[in-house]
Amino acid sequence: MTANTNDTKASSAKPSITESQAWQQLQAHFQQVQSLHMRDLFAADPQRFERFHVSLGDILLDYSKNRMTDETHRLLLELAQQAGVEAWRDKMFSGDHVNLTEDRAVMHVALRNRSETVMRVDGIDVMPQVRRVLQKMRSFSDAVRSGEFRGYNGERIKSIINIGIGGSDLGPLVVCESMKPYAQRGLNAHFVSNADATHLLETLKNVEPESTLFVISSKSFTTQETMLNAESAKAWFLSLVGNEKAIAKHFVSVTNNTEAAEEFGIAADNIYEIWDWVGGRYSLWSAIGLPIALYLGMDHFEELLEGAHVMDQHFKTAPLAENMPVIMALLGIWYNNFFDAQSHAVMPYSQYLRRLPAYLQQLDMESNGKTIDRDGERVDYLTGPIIWGEPGTNGQHAFFQLLHQGTKPVPADFLVPCISQNPMGNHHRVLVANCFAQTRALMHGKTTGEALEQLREAGLADDEINDLFAHKVFDGNKPSNTILFEKLTPKTLGSILALYEHKVFVQGIIWNINSFDQMGVEYGKELAGDIQGELSHRDQTECYDSSTNALINHRKDIYFRHYERRDYDKK
Ligand code: G6Q
């Protein structure tokens, strides 16, 4: 371990956060405020929005529709202070090995550092290498987009297929999907991740080899799904083109394992480097963002970086009380640990952001889905929530019922632009009105009096009203944040993604867990190997539990019978 790491570890050896004064005070405070209704808090204080919102550039975070008072706010901020959030944030920005279990720096902020500031990892300024790779991305993406770079037979590149999974998929995917209005006409971006060949084959149905560029994205270049898909894509390409040399014009790679990429057949020049201080789920800002640069152009990619940098500076310098990621993190902890909320919903009122919940699922759940704290002890409090969501207004016609009248508390984030990328008739006004109406209804609910009045106005008889009214009452007091922004531009998207990254970081610090490893993912990578071996022969499998054995044997029976019959039929 380096001196850096030892320092970090020594300073983290402290009593559980639940023993801190702030936590204890929050617990006592929770008893007093849990029965307060936000409806009354708003009625009693016309300035509530004024006090509980914060802006950064064109992004407004309204957090006034939360079950909190000034005292809650104060105590939550104290919790952040007592957990050492500021010190840990500074350690991350200084390149300390805050990823303790992997003994690594966590420096995705350097990837989008648009200032002249030096950013060191293990004593070395990483900015020159970051800028070198960005420059290489620019040259290549410019050449592809202008048609200067062409396929082996002179065709222009029309399709980019990213082959990667997890962090090497979700980040570029969410950005490309969200930024479609900025894409170049005639250029399509596809993302293939699943081991299920369907994903690759269905994608290949839409492209021609001469005009397709594959980006093999894998930090390790060993991930099973990615290797499978990359090999099958290469085989497909060669079967149609029949020319090994053509690979140099159609396959590039982003990886930390250049040797393996070269062995796969990728020309050295076509390899884009990433570094071990870039975590997979924090890597869209690195060369893993190459599909973004290709699809949207490097200027837009740099605007995305700029947006993230603005959020980084805000996170680094704004006082905790006005710090957007800190506020969102603390509210999340308030519900997770004091109200026992098991999940957190994300509702983008923007079709372009439809994949945001999936991206945030990985960011949050892979980072903070941990039980062992930084000191190696089992935690005795809840850590990361289940993240889920769908775009509005669709969710309203599906699961919103549970938000309004279910028995489980589900705090939610609503994201909505003020201006649409696709102004058309009344669509956007309807969309925004629905978003605001939902957060208002969740907060306010519908009282018994209001329900009765509505039923009377509808002309129902008294006995009908009696039977119905209880079903028409909405408790309200359901918390939400609203993130309202001007327009979904690359810069705004960069800020929003960085906002969530830092939110997750702050929560990890308070829960005293390492948000930057992913042992569960690695465990998954180990597991399938043995079973794959068992599936390849006909003998009965008996080495696992009865359930796993039976499932394996059942599949073998069906599979081998299916192929034997097919071979027999062919004869
Ligand atoms: C992310 C995780 C994980 C990883 C994938 C792909 O933080 O580490 O999702 O990104 O397993 O890994 P490779 O990029 O090495 O293929």
Side-chain angles (χ1 to χ4, degrees):
M1 272 195 188
T2 65
N4 238 347
T5 315
N6 285 332
D7 287 354
T8 308
K9 181 122 190 163
S11 63
S12 72
K14 55 180 195 270
S16 163
I17 188 67
T18 56
E19 291 163 44
S20 69
Q21 203 192 10
W23 191 284
Q24 306 270 320
Q25 286 177 332
L26 275 164
Q27 219 144 29
H29 173 71
F30 171 72
Q31 301 305 328
Q32 294 159 13
V33 295
Q34 63 171 323
S35 56
L36 299 182
H37 200 293
M38 281 190 274
R39 198 164 46 214
D40 303 323
L41 296 174
F42 271 100
D45 175 11
Q47 295 302 308
R48 188 171 168 85
F49 166 80
E50 281 311 316
R51 287 182 304 106
F52 296 141
H53 83 271
V54 54
S55 298
L56 179 65
D58 74 311
I59 302 176
L60 163 75
L61 166 67
D62 170 15
Y63 61 99
S64 59
K65 292 192 184 90
N66 277 291
R67 296 178 67 175
M68 62 184 291
T69 63
D70 282 331
E71 182 63 357
T72 323
H73 197 226
R74 188 184 71 74
L75 289 172
L76 286 170
L77 290 168
E78 253 179 49
L79 180 69
Q81 257 146 9
Q82 288 177 19
V85 165
E86 286 152 300
W88 277 96
R89 173 197 62 193
D90 295 346
K91 279 176 205 272
M92 178 175 75
F93 276 89
S94 326
D96 279 20
H97 285 205
V98 295
N99 178 351
L100 296 172
T101 49
E102 295 178 322
D103 192 11
R104 281 179 189 162
V106 171
M107 272 301 245
H108 46 278
V109 289
L111 300 167
R112 61 234 190 172
N113 171 24
R114 312 303 291 164
S115 72
E116 293 304 312
T117 320
V118 165
M119 301 203 77
R120 289 186 210 282
V121 173
D122 299 327
I124 295 166
D125 179 12
V126 296
M127 288 317 300
Q129 62 201 71
V130 167
R131 292 192 191 106
R132 177 172 44 75
V133 174
L134 285 175
Q135 189 47 49
K136 185 171 167 178
M137 287 167 71
R138 176 175 284 282
S139 310
F140 184 56
S141 55
D142 282 357
V144 170
R145 292 164 60 82
S146 67
E148 183 194 326
F149 177 96
R150 288 176 181 245
Y152 77 99
N153 68 350
E155 274 238 27
R156 269 183 93 122
I157 298 299
K158 294 187 196 129
S159 307
I160 298 143
I161 302 186
N162 187 77
I163 295 187
I165 196 164
S168 300
D169 169 64
L170 285 162
L173 184 156
V174 76
V175 175
C176 288
E177 176 74 26
S178 307
M179 293 287 105
K180 274 186 177 158
Y182 297 87
Q184 177 163 305
R185 272 184 97 82
L187 202 55
N188 292 307
H190 306 271
F191 290 83
V192 172
S193 49
N194 203 333
D196 186 343
T198 308
H199 203 175
L200 178 64
L201 285 173
E202 286 295 335
T203 306
L204 294 178
K205 280 182 191 168
N206 303 313
V207 304
E208 304 296 336
E210 305 78 40
S211 55
T212 298
L213 179 72
F214 291 95
V215 181
I216 315 297
S217 272
S218 176
K219 184 174 163 188
S220 60
F221 218 87
T222 56
T223 304
Q224 193 184 31
E225 295 90 331
T226 303
M227 294 304 105
L228 257 176
N229 281 319
E231 288 293 352
S232 301
K234 188 167 85 171
W236 170 84
F237 179 80
L238 287 176
S239 73
L240 295 172
V241 167
N243 173 2
E244 286 264 352
K245 281 200 188 127
I247 288 191
K249 290 284 185 187
H250 294 271
F251 284 78
V252 300
S253 174
V254 184
T255 187
N256 187 29
N257 186 354
T258 43
E259 219 171 80
E262 283 185 49
E263 211 164 287
F264 173 87
I266 307 230
D269 257 10
N270 286 349
I271 297 176
Y272 293 77
E273 193 186 349
I274 53 168
W275 307 278
D276 70 355
W277 44 266
V278 182
R281 56 196 171 277
Y282 299 88
S283 65
L284 74 92
W285 322 100
S286 70
I288 293 285
L290 184 61
I292 305 174
L294 289 162
Y295 185 52
L296 304 180
M298 196 61 191
D299 288 348
H300 288 133
F301 183 67
E302 292 197 340
E303 280 171 34
L304 183 86
L305 300 182
E306 175 64 34
H309 178 64
V310 168
M311 186 55 73
D312 292 344
Q313 292 310 301
H314 167 80
F315 177 50
K316 203 171 150 189
T317 57
L320 295 185
E322 293 153 30
N323 201 306
M324 230 183 246
V326 172
I327 292 167
M328 283 177 59
L330 290 172
L331 287 166
I333 286 181
W334 180 228
Y335 298 119
N336 189 70
N337 296 97
F338 297 90
F339 288 81
D340 284 340
Q342 300 291 321
S343 79
H344 185 97
V346 181
M347 321 293 185
Y349 274 66
S350 158
Q351 184 64 16
Y352 284 128
L353 287 175
R354 74 190 180 95
R355 297 294 286 160
L356 183 69
Y359 166 81
L360 292 178
Q361 266 171 350
Q362 179 188 30
L363 174 66
D364 203 319
M365 294 167 78
E366 204 166 277
S367 297
N368 287 342
K370 313 278 164 71
T371 312
I372 302 298
D373 72 12
R374 285 193 300 253
D375 304 307
E377 302 295 331
R378 182 169 281 271
V379 296
D380 57 359
Y381 44 86
L382 293 180
T383 58
I386 298 158
I387 303 291
W388 61 284
E390 276 288 319
T393 55
N394 297 11
Q396 290 173 210
H397 299 264
F399 52 77
F400 269 51
Q401 167 60 37
L402 183 145
L403 303 189
H404 286 290
Q405 288 187 310
T407 50
K408 299 194 164 58
V410 185
D413 294 346
F414 287 73
L415 297 100
V416 61
C418 293
I419 296 170
S420 173
Q421 292 280 6
N422 295 307
M424 186 189 238
N426 212 12
H427 283 256
H428 198 247
R429 194 176 307 153
V430 168
L431 182 77
V432 175
N434 270 281
C435 175
F436 296 166
Q438 287 295 328
T439 61
R440 153 97 185 150
L442 287 166
M443 179 278 286
H444 185 272
K446 195 189 281 178
T447 61
T448 306
E450 287 164 345
L452 286 172
E453 198 182 310
Q454 221 176 19
L455 291 170
R456 274 187 213 116
E457 274 172 15
L460 268 70
D462 281 356
D463 54 342
E464 282 177 301
I465 292 178
N466 253 346
D467 289 346
L468 257 188
F469 86 88
H471 300 277
K472 299 277 189 180
V473 170
F474 291 77
D475 292 342
N477 220 12
K478 319 278 186 191
S480 67
N481 294 315
T482 303
I483 298 174
L484 182 63
F485 48 94
E486 195 173 309
K487 195 172 175 180
L488 190 60
T489 62
K491 188 171 174 194
T492 302
L493 181 65
S495 292
I496 291 173
L497 299 180
L499 165 65
Y500 278 99
E501 284 181 351
H502 295 318
K503 171 201 163 180
V504 166
F505 172 82
V506 171
Q507 294 189 326
I509 294 306
I510 294 175
W511 289 323
N512 192 30
I513 51 180
N514 178 11
S515 301
F516 299 105
D517 62 10
Q518 54 284 315
M519 304 301 179
V521 179
E522 274 138 43
Y523 184 43
K525 289 182 182 183
E526 285 164 27
L527 283 178
D530 282 357
I531 295 188
Q532 210 184 306
E534 283 300 318
L535 288 171
S536 63
H537 61 75
R538 280 212 79 146
D539 301 343
Q540 283 287 295
T541 293
E542 283 163 3
C543 51
Y544 302 108
D545 56 89
S546 63
S547 160
T548 311
N549 289 339
L551 294 170
I552 292 173
N553 291 326
H554 188 78
R555 193 273 186 175
K556 285 205 271 203
D557 268 4
I558 293 187
Y559 176 87
F560 286 112
R561 266 195 283 131
H562 171 82
Y563 283 100
E564 275 162 13
R565 189 174 320 128
R566 216 181 61 164
D567 291 348
Y568 179 80
D569 290 345
K570 269 194 210 153
K571 278 182 203 158

